[in-house]
Amino acid sequence: MARRRRFLFPLVTPLLVSCASSPPPSVSPTAPSPVETQASAFEVGAASAAPTTQVGLYLRFNEEFSLGVALEPRYLATWAPTIRSNFNRLTAENVMKFARIHPKPDAYDFEPADRLADFAREHSMAVTGHALVWHRETPDWLVAGGDPSTVAARLEEHIHTVVARYADVIDNWDVVNEIISDSPNKTYRDAEEGSKLSGVLGEQLSVLAFRYAETAVAASGKPIALYYNDYNIVLDDKRKKALELARTLQTEGIRIDGIGAQAHWNLEWPTVADVQRMIDDIVAAGLKVKISELDISIYTQDDWGKKNWEAEKPFTEELAARQAARYAELFEVFVKNAEHITSVTFWGLSDGHTWLDNEPVQGRDNHPLLFDDRGNPKPAYSALLNL
Ligand code: GLA
């Protein structure tokens, strides 16, 4: 989609960003997801700390893709103005994950997810469903007994129930999250790599999940898109395996509409060329792209192989300017490819509310989002608004 050019905010003039030589950090979420009980400066911030700039960031990208934010429902009430004026899509950061929404065989806990869905309905926002299958949020009861047909039936019931409940407001689901293996010798994550469901259902897991999701969507009568979602889709090897999964589904006549690239990236990695190649490959496979979990870490020297982490550093003006330029260059790629990109979602609202403060290093302050610890817009925000 062609797009009008606007004036460039001064902060976005091409700055440094040396990318090519730095090795891609394998951003592999290995710690538990942030939980609802975590303290957050963003939440602690008094009403007076609320941002003054609420000018509709999503409107800037209205012609290209929807703009989302992932959050916990407890942020909705206090920060409604910031959320509503800047985003037109929500993702449940945690509360729609299997173990949260369906903690016991006969008991669903819909309340937090309902609150998020109701907020979206009330304010005419779309919701991304996250996620029907994820190894890190698979309750033990789901695989108890170990009989494949019983486990498959439980999975089917879950998928049908959750898809039906939110079919009026969720327009796309992450059907399977992170089932691709990081090991060069395997395509799929198995029980050894933490997938209890793969331990029972083997490689059929994704086929079954997408089949159940497709049937559930058909029953709802709504046009709900079905995605595979993962980190490091920007890496050629990982992406190749994800596209192999998509091909398997397509060959079996099962619907998959797109690939969600999580986009837990940093100030230097990946390069713009990497991102473009990722989009091209996904599009060539006949699929849509969504940028599902975007955040830009200020740490570029973490070594995941050696588990050697960069020391905490202050968020200087120079870093803020680099981050603004970085967000701008990435959004330029997204805008250029807008006809293939359905949505771009930030993984968190503010720097006071980011999983990256505790991953990969517990308590290392990170500043990856558009709003600062107290919810005020950062240079990156202005850079995108003025892109
Ligand atoms: C992965 C998951 C998200 C979230 C992050 C860490 O990216 O898809 O739901 O848990 O890890 O917060």
Side-chain angles (χ1 to χ4, degrees):
M1 207 181 297
R3 153 107 232 151
R4 68 216 176 268
R5 295 285 316 164
R6 297 196 185 163
F7 68 93
L8 208 60
F9 189 73
L11 269 169
V12 215
T13 11
L15 290 170
L16 39 130
V17 191
S18 71
C19 325
S21 57
S22 54
S26 170
V27 183
S28 159
T30 47
S33 307
V35 288
E36 285 246 357
T37 48
Q38 267 175 9
S40 150
F42 188 53
E43 189 184 41
V44 170
S48 60
T52 46
T53 310
Q54 289 161 0
V55 286
L57 188 60
Y58 78 88
L59 291 171
R60 163 63 188 84
F61 299 101
N62 232 6
E63 290 174 27
E64 282 101 3
F65 34 72
S66 63
L67 205 64
V69 60
L71 37 74
E72 301 290 6
R74 67 197 158 101
Y75 291 104
L76 291 169
T78 315
W79 295 96
T82 307
I83 296 164
R84 280 169 48 202
S85 51
N86 290 297
F87 303 98
N88 56 356
R89 169 175 299 280
L90 296 176
T91 301
E93 191 170 348
N94 286 302
V95 298
M96 287 185 185
K97 291 171 180 171
F98 201 126
R100 312 289 181 107
I101 204 168
H102 196 174
K104 296 186 191 139
D106 301 316
Y108 281 87
D109 179 11
F110 289 124
E111 193 277 329
D114 283 357
R115 249 189 299 146
L116 186 126
D118 284 344
F119 184 94
R121 289 181 184 113
E122 194 183 331
H123 302 297
S124 304
M125 302 173 85
V127 177
T128 289
H130 177 77
L132 295 171
V133 170
W134 187 35
H135 64 286
R136 301 189 73 88
E137 292 277 354
T138 300
D140 287 340
W141 69 259
L142 178 57
V143 290
D147 164 47
S149 59
T150 306
V151 173
R154 291 173 186 153
L155 181 64
E156 183 175 19
E157 187 278 329
H158 173 87
I159 291 177
H160 275 260
T161 302
V162 179
V163 169
R165 187 173 185 91
Y166 301 109
D168 64 311
V169 69
I170 287 187
D171 66 359
N172 79 97
W173 269 101
D174 293 331
V175 179
V176 178
N177 194 33
E178 302 183 355
I179 201 64
I180 300 300
S181 172
D182 289 316
S183 155
N185 310 316
K186 296 179 207 168
T187 300
Y188 299 110
R189 184 185 295 277
D190 54 19
E192 232 172 72
E193 283 184 286
S195 173
K196 288 179 276 196
L197 274 172
S198 297
V200 179
L201 300 172
E203 297 192 356
Q204 276 301 296
L205 167 60
S206 298
V207 171
L208 291 174
F210 272 89
R211 184 177 289 148
Y212 299 152
E214 182 176 8
T215 317
V217 165
S220 79
K222 304 283 184 188
I224 302 170
L226 304 178
Y227 280 78
Y228 176 69
N229 192 55
D230 212 329
Y231 56 87
N232 283 352
I233 291 291
V234 75
L235 297 185
D236 294 345
D237 288 351
K238 189 87 179 256
R239 183 170 62 256
K240 209 165 142 216
K241 294 184 202 176
L243 293 178
E244 197 178 311
L245 166 59
R247 219 169 14 255
T248 301
L249 295 169
Q250 288 162 336
T251 307
E252 298 213 18
I254 299 169
R255 209 178 101 201
I256 174 169
D257 298 291
I259 303 286
Q262 290 185 1
H264 298 299
W265 296 339
N266 70 39
L267 285 178
E268 296 181 356
W269 175 86
T271 67
V272 161
D274 290 337
V275 176
Q276 185 61 58
R277 198 167 62 252
M278 171 184 87
I279 295 168
D280 291 344
D281 280 2
I282 296 173
V283 170
L287 299 167
K288 290 285 188 192
V289 181
K290 74 172 170 179
I291 306 297
S292 54
E293 306 185 14
L294 179 62
D295 42 29
I296 299 295
S297 169
I298 62 166
Y299 297 98
T300 56
Q301 303 304 315
D302 290 339
D303 184 335
W304 286 80
K306 296 193 178 122
K307 301 229 171 300
N308 206 349
W309 316 118
E310 197 178 335
E312 180 169 301
K313 58 188 177 193
F315 190 58
T316 57
E317 273 182 32
E318 189 254 337
L319 278 178
R322 277 178 67 186
Q323 189 179 52
R326 177 71 170 137
Y327 265 115
E329 70 168 9
L330 289 170
F331 268 73
E332 272 171 10
V333 182
F334 302 157
V335 165
K336 197 168 98 197
N337 293 277
E339 66 180 296
H340 306 298
I341 297 182
T342 50
S343 62
V344 177
T345 289
F346 292 87
W347 202 249
L349 189 52
S350 85
D351 290 348
H353 168 229
T354 169
W355 72 297
L356 292 174
D357 278 351
N358 292 304
E359 173 72 17
V361 187
Q362 188 74 28
R364 183 182 68 178
D365 213 9
N366 207 328
H367 306 266
L369 296 163
L370 299 186
F371 298 92
D372 70 14
D373 279 352
R374 303 195 72 79
N376 292 308
K378 294 161 61 182
Y381 176 91
S382 315
L384 294 188
L385 198 61
N386 296 313
L387 193 68

